[in-house]
Amino acid sequence: MNIAAETDFNTFWKKFKTAVVNSDKATVANLTKFPLSMPFGVNSVKTKAEFVKDYDRILNMEANAKRCFQATKPEQEGKGYAIYCTFKTLPESSNNRPIKYYFERTKMGWKFTGLDNINE
């Protein structure tokens, strides 16, 4: 990946992480691509309004996004990035990190595009 794309992602990530840490639902929604892909058996989130309404259920379904994002760095994966989080019942230091938030570059720049439990 070229340096410009990485810099773009770092700028996006700082904005996204800050919004999550501050529970700034509107900014997180603006940095999300819809429909937002969800784990197996969970319907995708189709609209910004639905995302904002169900924000806590979506972002913190199995992980504590705020805690995880403050302690964990995204990893490059293919053309995108992912951050792996532990279950909210486990300490953030746990190596059991199956909750994946992933980000892809879209025509509108970097966006949060999905959430998955890689164990399912």
Side-chain angles (χ1 to χ4, degrees):
M1 183 167 288
N2 68 28
I3 299 299
E6 221 168 85
T7 307
D8 286 354
F9 181 78
N10 288 337
T11 303
F12 162 82
W13 175 246
K14 279 187 192 120
K15 206 181 294 182
F16 188 82
K17 175 177 144 179
T18 300
V20 169
V21 168
N22 294 323
S23 301
D24 180 350
K25 299 174 188 180
T27 299
V28 176
N30 286 333
L31 297 172
T32 300
K33 178 180 178 238
F34 298 98
L36 177 67
S37 177
M38 294 296 283
F40 180 78
V42 180
N43 291 336
S44 65
V45 181
K46 293 177 182 43
T47 66
K48 213 177 266 193
E50 182 186 347
F51 181 84
V52 169
K53 182 167 92 47
D54 291 337
Y55 178 86
D56 289 321
R57 181 187 64 82
I58 295 162
L59 266 199
N60 300 305
M61 189 181 300
E62 295 179 284
N64 178 331
K66 191 181 288 197
R67 184 184 76 180
C68 175
F69 289 9
Q70 287 177 296
T72 312
K73 293 213 179 316
E75 303 168 25
Q76 193 170 337
E77 248 182 39
K79 291 183 172 169
Y81 285 83
I83 190 162
Y84 290 88
C85 298
T86 187
F87 290 105
K88 53 182 145 191
T89 53
L90 296 175
E92 209 48 60
S93 57
S94 170
N95 288 331
N96 179 13
R97 308 181 80 76
I99 312 305
K100 175 183 175 183
Y101 297 78
Y102 52 97
F103 309 90
E104 294 166 10
R105 189 203 272 290
T106 70
K107 288 186 177 84
M108 305 299 292
W110 285 98
K111 296 285 185 184
F112 170 40
T113 55
L115 183 55
D116 202 5
N117 179 334
I118 59 172
N119 289 347
E120 288 175 350

